Amino acid sequence: MNMNRFDAWVHESLVQVEQALDAWVCPEAPAGLGEAMRYAVLGAGKRLRPLLVLAAAQAVRGQYAAALRAACAVELIHAYSLVHDDMPCMDNDVLRRGKPTLHVAFGEAKAMLAGDAMQALAFEVLTPETGVDPLLQVRLCAMLARASGPEGMAGGQAIDLASVGQQLSREQLHDMHRRKTGVLLQGSVLMGAACGQTTPEQWQALSDYGAALGVAFQVVDDILDVTQASDVLGKTAGKDEDCNKPTFVSVMGLQAASDYADELRQRAQAALQASGLEDTQWLSLLADKVVERQH
Amino acid sequence: MNMNRFDAWVHESLVQVEQALDAWVCPEAPAGLGEAMRYAVLGAGKRLRPLLVLAAAQAVRGQYAAALRAACAVELIHAYSLVHDDMPCMDNDVLRRGKPTLHVAFGEAKAMLAGDAMQALAFEVLTPETGVDPLLQVRLCAMLARASGPEGMAGGQAIDLASVGQQLSREQLHDMHRRKTGVLLQGSVLMGAACGQTTPEQWQALSDYGAALGVAFQVVDDILDVTQASDVLGKTAGKDEDCNKPTFVSVMGLQAASDYADELRQRAQAALQASGLEDTQWLSLLADKVVERQH
């Protein structure tokens, strides 16, 4: 029963996010740039980050209009990071979300520019002239900038680059992934939470939830990279090993990594319990979904 | 006399901007990312955009702290765009601000990431937790995002890419440069103006000043590209012609381009007169400087 309602909520949320992105990622941008951005953003992707924003906003009875903008902004940042990450000078990947990567379809120069434009658009989406409380807008901008900037996602990517062929300890691996993917996933939860009212304890609990979920996501990603085929993942499988990149599987082994993902899921669920918030069911089911996903 | 005071104001402003950038472009960003960002941002560049922000803020008696943040944010956006523009998949340039370009010094992957991180940092600089009016912060973020995004700078770069080897009319060339460099230069003036109070007429006059100055800057850039040597420019000279790119010189001829730059300077000065603002002397001298510069 709860599951059916969850599926309906996910479906409705994805429709809303897709419509909003479709409106904001303008096809009018010149010289094919809009077309390239739309190729990278629309009609694909699991939209985990937007769902986390919207679920957290619902848990704190936050403003829906602000949360929808935050959801789209986070997805734009995520999508730009995939475009740049796939480029030849980075991971040199040709398959993403089941399609040729953007630089394969549109050329490297346009892929780089489209990524740059998507990042700018994310901050434009967060700063409409009317309709959202300016203090909230500033806070959301600051959170997104920090999560995606030098100390966050971009910093994690830099560590990732430097780690190829290196031995990393479990702590170093954690730090890399916390920055590279964890901070933006946690940021999604907290940006949703910022759209409503929370006590400091509730904020901390949602932060803990987001942190656990962020690591769990990456552990499962590393597991799927070795256990699934490319056509299921929609991106090139076995990539980490081919690139000689340290992963949770290479550092811990497959079984221990799987146990660790379950432990993190429990930690995330415990944090939701500790929050004392009533309406955390979608956040709870999203944590299950992150750990149980097959792609 | 005015000139000595102007030089002193420029010197003092550059010191302030450099100190602020030095504090904000953190060397602590992991895996050498901070070092790469600092290489691209600090200690070089004419800082025209920050000077425009500060001069416009002074003309409207704007808040200095907010204007200094805006000045640094605009420079970060400008510097990231140069890093990405110089990469092999774009203009493939090896010399910038008299030094090897970032990808030559640090590798392509780190150059791309440093550019990405600099864009995020620009928005972080604009959204401090305290000290600036939130409504002003939101407005500055929105202006910067629009000026640098798909309809602005990134869009102009896309047109630039598509124009290689093409014949462009004077109107098409204008549209490309308005987006590619003009909108961010004009945006610098208006971000400074947003830090204080203006009537709609004053705002329009500063907008006209910024628009004329933006085109003038590019016309002079095109002239210098054919008349100056690389060691004077600090970047590769003759690049436009080598790349078969349309320029104001190739479209209009050298003498007509030079006359046009003077006409634009007069238009900028007339807009300042029309503004009725008292303290526009630095804006006026900056317009002269843009047209008279030798590099």
Side-chain angles (χ1 to χ4, degrees):
Chain A
M1 176 59 187
N2 221 14
M3 204 57 208
N4 287 345
R5 283 184 50 226
F6 178 63
D7 288 343
W9 174 81
V10 167
H11 177 77
E12 177 58 24
S13 299
L14 293 182
V15 168
Q16 295 288 333
V17 167
E18 197 71 19
Q19 281 180 353
L21 287 170
D22 185 52
W24 285 325
V25 185
C26 41
E28 298 83 20
L33 187 65
E35 198 191 338
M37 293 166 73
R38 292 173 68 83
Y39 180 92
V41 175
L42 299 181
K46 294 183 284 287
R47 310 290 194 214
L48 172 61
R49 290 156 194 80
L51 291 172
L52 287 170
V53 174
L54 295 175
Q58 182 158 327
V60 301
R61 312 210 183 290
Q63 303 167 40
Y64 185 76
L68 185 60
R69 284 184 178 271
C72 292
V74 171
E75 186 67 10
L76 282 164
I77 292 288
H78 174 58
Y80 112 69
S81 80
L82 297 181
V83 169
H84 282 187
D85 199 32
D86 286 337
M87 281 182 62
C89 69
M90 296 279 294
D91 282 359
N92 193 20
D93 223 323
V94 296
L95 186 67
R96 171 68 69 181
R97 293 176 167 179
K99 297 189 295 188
T101 46
L102 192 65
H103 68 272
V104 170
F106 287 78
E108 281 183 57
K110 200 166 277 179
M112 190 166 71
L113 280 180
D116 291 344
M118 285 151 68
Q119 181 172 181
L121 184 60
F123 290 98
E124 190 179 340
V125 163
L126 277 186
T127 51
E129 285 187 20
T130 55
V132 182
D133 167 29
L135 202 57
L136 172 57
Q137 284 174 262
V138 169
R139 203 163 167 215
L140 293 172
C141 276
M143 292 170 86
L144 189 61
R146 269 199 297 268
S148 58
E151 307 276 354
M153 186 178 75
Q157 297 267 31
I159 301 175
D160 189 35
L161 264 180
S163 76
V164 172
Q166 302 289 310
Q167 287 282 20
L168 291 191
S169 69
R170 195 168 146 171
E171 287 67 37
Q172 289 171 316
L173 196 64
H174 258 114
D175 179 57
M176 173 174 93
H177 285 307
R178 184 184 62 78
R179 295 176 190 262
K180 196 180 157 194
T181 51
V183 173
L184 193 59
L185 286 162
Q186 186 185 30
S188 302
V189 175
L190 293 178
M191 285 171 75
C195 295
Q197 300 295 327
T198 49
T199 64
E201 293 74 24
Q202 288 168 339
W203 182 269
Q204 185 58 52
L206 290 173
S207 175
D208 293 344
Y209 163 85
L213 180 126
V215 181
F217 180 86
Q218 190 60 50
V219 173
V220 172
D221 225 49
D222 288 352
I223 292 170
L224 294 174
D225 188 65
V226 296
T227 58
Q228 291 287 24
S230 299
D231 62 339
V232 177
L233 292 181
K235 61 182 180 180
T236 313
K239 189 82 191 174
D240 296 329
E241 198 177 348
D242 290 352
C243 294
N244 200 12
K245 279 192 182 179
T247 70
F248 282 104
V249 173
S250 71
V251 169
M252 305 174 74
L254 191 56
Q255 185 57 50
S258 176
D259 293 345
Y260 187 41
D262 276 326
E263 181 194 323
L264 288 162
R265 174 188 3 201
Q266 287 164 26
R267 227 185 274 175
Q269 304 293 11
L272 291 181
Q273 287 285 336
S275 76
L277 290 163
E278 279 173 31
D279 203 2
T280 57
Q281 53 185 333
W282 303 157
L283 287 173
S284 171
L285 288 165
L286 284 170
D288 289 342
K289 202 170 163 155
V290 160
V291 175
E292 290 162 12
R293 74 201 160 101
Q294 299 300 314
H295 58 88
Chain B
M1 178 59 187
N2 219 15
M3 204 58 209
N4 287 346
R5 282 184 50 228
F6 178 63
D7 287 343
W9 173 79
V10 167
H11 177 77
E12 177 58 24
S13 298
L14 294 182
V15 168
Q16 295 289 331
V17 167
E18 198 70 20
Q19 281 180 353
L21 287 170
D22 185 52
W24 286 327
V25 185
C26 40
E28 298 82 22
L33 187 65
E35 198 191 338
M37 293 166 73
R38 292 173 69 83
Y39 181 91
V41 176
L42 299 181
K46 293 182 286 286
R47 309 292 194 215
L48 172 61
R49 291 154 193 80
L51 291 173
L52 287 170
V53 175
L54 295 176
Q58 182 157 328
V60 301
R61 311 211 184 287
Q63 303 166 39
Y64 186 76
L68 185 60
R69 286 184 178 271
C72 292
V74 171
E75 186 67 9
L76 283 164
I77 292 288
H78 173 59
Y80 112 70
S81 80
L82 297 181
V83 169
H84 281 188
D85 199 33
D86 286 337
M87 282 182 60
C89 68
M90 297 280 292
D91 282 359
N92 193 22
D93 222 322
V94 296
L95 186 66
R96 170 70 68 181
R97 293 177 167 178
K99 297 189 295 188
T101 47
L102 192 63
H103 69 272
V104 169
F106 287 78
E108 282 184 54
K110 199 165 278 181
M112 191 166 69
L113 279 179
D116 291 345
M118 284 151 68
Q119 182 173 179
L121 183 60
F123 290 98
E124 190 178 340
V125 163
L126 278 186
T127 51
E129 285 185 21
T130 54
V132 183
D133 167 28
L135 203 57
L136 173 57
Q137 284 174 262
V138 169
R139 205 163 164 215
L140 293 172
C141 276
M143 293 170 84
L144 189 62
R146 270 200 297 270
S148 58
E151 307 276 355
M153 186 179 75
Q157 295 269 31
I159 300 175
D160 190 35
L161 263 180
S163 77
V164 173
Q166 302 288 310
Q167 286 283 20
L168 291 191
S169 69
R170 194 167 146 174
E171 287 67 38
Q172 288 171 316
L173 195 66
H174 257 114
D175 179 56
M176 173 174 95
H177 285 309
R178 185 185 61 78
R179 295 176 191 263
K180 196 180 156 193
T181 51
V183 174
L184 194 61
L185 286 163
Q186 185 185 31
S188 302
V189 175
L190 293 177
M191 286 172 74
C195 295
Q197 300 294 327
T198 49
T199 65
E201 293 74 25
Q202 288 169 340
W203 182 268
Q204 185 58 52
L206 290 173
S207 174
D208 293 344
Y209 163 84
L213 180 126
V215 181
F217 179 86
Q218 190 60 51
V219 173
V220 173
D221 225 47
D222 288 353
I223 292 170
L224 294 175
D225 188 64
V226 296
T227 58
Q228 291 287 25
S230 299
D231 63 338
V232 177
L233 293 181
K235 62 182 179 181
T236 313
K239 190 82 191 175
D240 297 328
E241 197 178 350
D242 290 352
C243 295
N244 200 12
K245 280 193 182 179
T247 71
F248 283 103
V249 173
S250 70
V251 168
M252 306 174 72
L254 191 56
Q255 184 58 51
S258 176
D259 293 346
Y260 187 41
D262 275 328
E263 181 195 324
L264 288 162
R265 169 178 23 190
Q266 286 165 27
R267 227 186 273 174
Q269 303 294 9
L272 291 181
Q273 286 286 334
S275 76
L277 290 163
E278 278 172 31
D279 204 2
T280 57
Q281 53 183 334
W282 303 158
L283 287 173
S284 172
L285 288 165
L286 284 171
D288 290 341
K289 199 168 164 158
V290 160
V291 174
E292 289 162 12
R293 73 201 160 101
Q294 299 301 313
H295 58 90

